[in-house]
Amino acid sequence: MATVTLRAIVCSFSIIFLLKPNGFSCQQFSITFQQPTDCGVESYFDISSLSCVKCGPNQVNSKSGLACECQTGFRVLVSNGASITCQQCPDANQGVTQDGYGCIHCPGSVGDNGKCQCPKGSVLVEREWNGNPLNEAQCEACNATEPAFSAPDMTGNRCVRCEDSFINSSQSCVCGTSNIQAGGMCFPPNSLPASVSSNVIFGQLALSVTSLWFSSFMYSSAAACLLFSNRTACQSLGNMCVMNMHSSSTINNDACGLYNTVYRAAQGSSQDISYWRTNLPWLYYGDQLGLASRILQNEPLPVGFSFKGTQKNTNIELRAAVYSVRGEFLRWESVGGGNLQLCPDTPTRQQSAFMFGTAYKQSCVLSVSELLNGYPEPVFYDVFLVIQKPQEDKRLLAVPLLNINQQFNGQFTNQGSSMNNWYLTRRLMLVDTLSGREKSLSSSPKVIRVASNIKIGFQLVTNTQKGQVYPPLMTVTYSDILVTDPTTQTVTVSFSLEYTMDQEEARVKTDIALGVLGGVAVVHSLLKTASWKRRIASPLIDLQTIMKFLVFYAGDLANVFFIITVGTGLYWLIFFKAQLFVSVLLPLPAQEERFVVYVGCAFALKTVQFLHKLFVQLSVDIFFIDWERPRSKASKHVEGSGEAKSQASPVSIWRTYFVANEWNEIQTIRKINPTFQVIAVLFFLEVVGFSNLALRDPSSDLHLSPEAYTPPYSLILRYGVASAMWLCIGLIQITFFKVIHERFVEDKIRQFVDLCSISNISVLLLSHRCFGYYIHGRSVHGHADTNMDEMNTNLKREAENLCGQRGLLPNSDTQTFQISITNRLRAQYDRIIEPINWRSGPSRLVDASANPCEQSTNAYHTMNRFLGSVIDHAHREMDYIVKDKLLFERIIGMEFIEPLDKSIFYNDDSHSFADVLFYGNEAVLLIFDTLFFCVVDLGSQNFILAAVLTYLQQLVFRLIRNGMGRRNLASKTLVDKRFLI
């Protein structure tokens, strides 16, 4: 027991110690942040302790900042590798030897660095030939004449043969007084302009910078290229022209002016290409504007591209000849893997740029300080397209360059869209941090230039069936950045590939289809307007008629735009994704704007049609005709008289309420399940992966690897996939609903008709003033207000055909009709309902003494008797006939016969009274939902958001239709809305 207690006490103290805040402090594991620039002159940065350490006596910080060295005039006495000891030279006329370990008498003066100096043309000698140190240093003059022709090397430690240009010009290592010495070479006079313009123009900043690199090497490079055909010098001169954006003008002493001077003097051509002169880099396609079309669209490539099959060819192989800024050839490089792509990324994603048909775009934001550190000198690229024919050697096709920053005689000719004004060039660089240096080549540049946008474009040959394309064009845009604070300054860069084809034919065909279908829509809208005028019995063409025509035309034109846009989306989806040899390419994002406008027009016009349909449904006139009659008379005691008065037994109103409730419930039923529709579409697009078919690449894969590059979406393909998916699932639902659900589960429309017959109630619907629908629900048994036994007996007799048929006419089953009534009948209908309508009108028309409930009851009974008598042919002046509609009348939706003396009841086995419900307008609702879903997606590029908003939209309009439809039902049928649940 004591042992257990002791263990508990020890554990408790251990826990307290571990949890004590000051037990271990994170501060003891931290250090002060220091870097070499913080150490000052008398300290160095210790790479082991990552801190500044003070140097020893007579020592200063070295140039690297990572070690100490002796002060000027002091030599190294002892060195053990980790530290040194310094000692001052005893004599003031002594200097420190070149290796820093000794002191020696100087033949001349001592330099600022504490070491001996020799006059120009001599080298310093401190040791004998066997390595023994001299007592006094010697200055040995190099023999500049024949046969030695020597001069001190760059370090001044040995004599070497001088440059040939000196020997050739003066037979010595001295450049003659009449000659020009530049860049370590000697040139004869009058070969080039005596003075050169070393200014670099940064057009975006409207700034001219005197470049130290240009002033140091431009003249010598041009002269060496012109006079001595020095290939490296020619390349260096060309590089300086590239750094000056290939800009040319009447000035002949700038970089490009000197290049053109040499170009005109050069003889012969390289590789049999007239634009490529011997020994010179190829920089220009000709010497004038307007040659771009001949170069880019004169002849297609000899190889074709294919997306699928055994001859699949989607690889774009580019190679680049790489040169240093000094004109040295560095290597051949395969373009890809980041050499032309400044943005960092995985090799797999970067290589996806060179798969034909894949719209590639990579962009990022880079720090100016990173560019300064990563690109101390520019590197230059001559890009070629590798052409590999079967059983033939590889050929390299030069890829022309369109430099947007290039100026020709002071004009930015390449910034326009007209190819006739372009001036194509060759050779590009990515980052230029060199030409903007003014004072020292090691100092920070005043301005840097970055290739902020590189785009490689391919154009498909018109009407090709073999995947032929024209030579590619590389477009580059440079950004000029004035360096102020490199650590905070950034630049946005991008690299992209795009593929184009002539879209004029597709545009013309779309315009033709729009014109033809638009004309058909006009005719159809006129027919609808004429039908509407006949149904409201108004022969006059007034403002209302014009507005109605416009509403009808909006709906028909919306269908036209919808057909065209869906057809266009499916066309590009099928023909682009399924093609073997490339024959079509997707429109560019800028070319899709017209398509997006069409989609927007379709949605806006369809919205107008949908709201009009909704308004019409919410203003339908409806009345339930109760055929039930009292079976017996009941005795009612009259107060005061002591007598019993016989009255007819009242008819129950509950059957009417029941039918009204059923009608209220079917107002928003549809042939599809909206919730299932949204979930199914979202499932196939996002889970199954059909959305990947909308990517701008030739792949038809539904799933992408996480490591693979994901190209941007095509709006046309995205619309095509989304609309096709929504319509397909909707049509499948409609087919299932009509073929299976309505036959084997339930058909609510026909069930409502059956309910009317069982309830002994007919329904009159007037969607127009003189047109509507009639559901004949008069019971064949005479009574429906009965008990269960009698009801079951009646249904059994009807099932065994022991009673009459339900139809309006004898020996007929037709219970639903389209009706076209006379003006006289409509006027009487309005006269009966008018007192009720006054209640919602101005107060001066309302009879204050009248009881609203009594008014409603009286109006209901009056209307019930009136309509019942009309159906029973009790009014000769308001009689009707029953007939079938002509086929053409059903097709165009218009009645040819105008009801002047008698109303006309058209047999309607298709239950078209559903046109005043959501059920009968499924096409309008389906297209509206499709367009709503697609418009939201095109705006947000998010199928999930589009699905959520579409569901909410459906829910909102369903609530509006239910709520306002319930109010209209209560108002028009005179049924108290409290009974509509």
Side-chain angles (χ1 to χ4, degrees), residues 513-531:
L514 184 61
V516 172
L517 295 179
V520 175
V522 171
V523 175
H524 190 235
S525 300
L526 288 173
L527 289 175
K528 283 189 188 179
T529 306
S531 175

Side-chain angles (χ1 to χ4, degrees), residues 475-524:
T475 305
V476 59
T477 304
Y478 290 93
S479 295
D480 300 335
I481 304 169
L482 183 65
V483 179
T484 56
D485 186 1
T487 57
T488 59
Q489 288 181 282
T490 58
V491 58
T492 302
V493 298
S494 66
F495 180 86
S496 61
L497 272 83
E498 69 175 25
Y499 306 88
T500 62
M501 65 174 290
D502 186 5
Q503 300 288 340
E504 184 64 22
E505 183 180 358
R507 187 188 65 81
V508 170
K509 290 181 178 179
T510 302
D511 291 343
I512 292 174
L514 184 61
V516 172
L517 295 179
V520 175
V522 171
V523 175
H524 190 235

Side-chain angles (χ1 to χ4, degrees), residues 394-453:
K394 286 184 178 181
R395 301 286 296 176
L396 299 181
L397 174 69
V399 177
L401 178 71
L402 183 68
N403 188 343
I404 302 300
N405 299 69
Q406 179 184 356
Q407 297 185 52
F408 184 81
N409 292 331
Q411 301 294 323
F412 291 96
T413 56
N414 292 343
Q415 292 185 358
S417 59
S418 176
M419 191 180 295
N420 295 327
N421 295 328
W422 289 353
Y423 196 5
L424 300 182
T425 56
R426 294 272 297 152
R427 188 165 292 190
L428 80 155
M429 62 181 179
L430 298 181
V431 181
D432 176 17
T433 63
L434 184 62
S435 63
R437 303 179 191 265
E438 293 182 299
K439 299 179 181 179
S440 171
L441 295 180
S442 61
S443 63
S444 178
K446 183 176 181 179
V447 184
I448 67 171
R449 183 172 271 153
V450 181
S452 57
N453 185 10

